[in-house]
Amino acid sequence: MTYLKKSPWIIHYDASSCNGCDIEVLAALTPLYDVERFGIVNTGNPKHADIFLVTGSVNEQNRQVLINTYELIPDPKVVVAIGICATSGGIFRECYNVMGGIDKVIPVDVYVTGCAARPESIIDGVVQGLGILESKRLAMAEKRAGSRAKAGDAV
């Protein structure tokens, strides 16, 4: 695991799930599993978040809310799809109103499978997301340094 300069904050969104995975996400935050030992803080504001945890499948009613929440999270950001419904639509994928997993609407970085996903799996997915977040931060820093160098050459 890499060491980040600031504690990563997560935001959780329930996109029409059965609440099984939501309960497991909350269990991962409790002292028994203690995801906070990795410096992770749960927030309710997407403008403060770094990691977007999504449970449930996408339908027409929550599609735009999911997109809006994703766009409010500042770059770099990581999206973690939790549970089989978020990854593929799960048992609801044949329903008339289900579009499928969340990757039909927003890009996903980490997939955590299971019905319901276990807290250990969720924590593992978040830790994988931390590595991806750090690599995205480094890529953004290199891009900024490259654009500054080009601006300096042009002067």
Side-chain angles (χ1 to χ4, degrees):
M1 187 174 100
T2 59
Y3 292 97
L4 302 171
K5 292 184 180 176
K6 81 175 201 67
S7 293
W9 288 22
I10 60 171
I11 186 165
H12 171 236
Y13 177 70
D14 174 10
S16 69
S17 74
C18 69
N19 294 329
C21 291
D22 301 316
I23 292 168
E24 300 299 330
V25 168
L26 295 175
L29 295 169
T30 63
L32 179 63
Y33 295 101
D34 194 23
V35 76
E36 289 185 1
R37 69 178 176 249
F38 299 110
I40 295 167
V41 179
N42 190 27
T43 183
N45 188 344
K47 293 179 181 181
H48 299 156
D50 301 300
I51 301 173
F52 191 23
L53 305 179
V54 183
T55 58
S57 56
V58 176
N59 59 38
E60 202 55 47
Q61 290 184 336
N62 66 20
R63 180 180 166 275
Q64 196 58 48
V65 174
L66 186 64
I67 292 169
N68 291 345
T69 306
Y70 175 79
E71 289 174 351
L72 285 172
I73 299 172
D75 287 326
K77 56 190 154 203
V78 171
V79 177
V80 180
I82 298 174
I84 199 68
C85 293
T87 59
S88 67
I91 61 171
F92 305 109
R93 71 180 167 273
E94 300 296 326
C95 293
Y96 71 94
N97 64 337
V98 173
M99 299 171 70
I102 63 167
D103 57 359
K104 303 281 186 199
V105 179
I106 60 174
V108 175
D109 297 299
V110 179
Y111 293 91
V112 177
T113 58
C115 183
R118 300 283 306 142
E120 298 93 340
S121 301
I122 295 168
I123 292 171
D124 186 47
V126 170
V127 170
Q128 288 177 26
L130 293 176
I132 294 169
L133 184 65
E134 182 64 16
S135 65
K136 285 184 176 184
R137 282 196 177 138
L138 290 174
M140 284 181 67
E142 289 173 6
K143 187 176 178 180
R144 278 192 300 254
S147 64
R148 286 185 195 137
K150 286 182 182 178
D153 291 342
V155 174

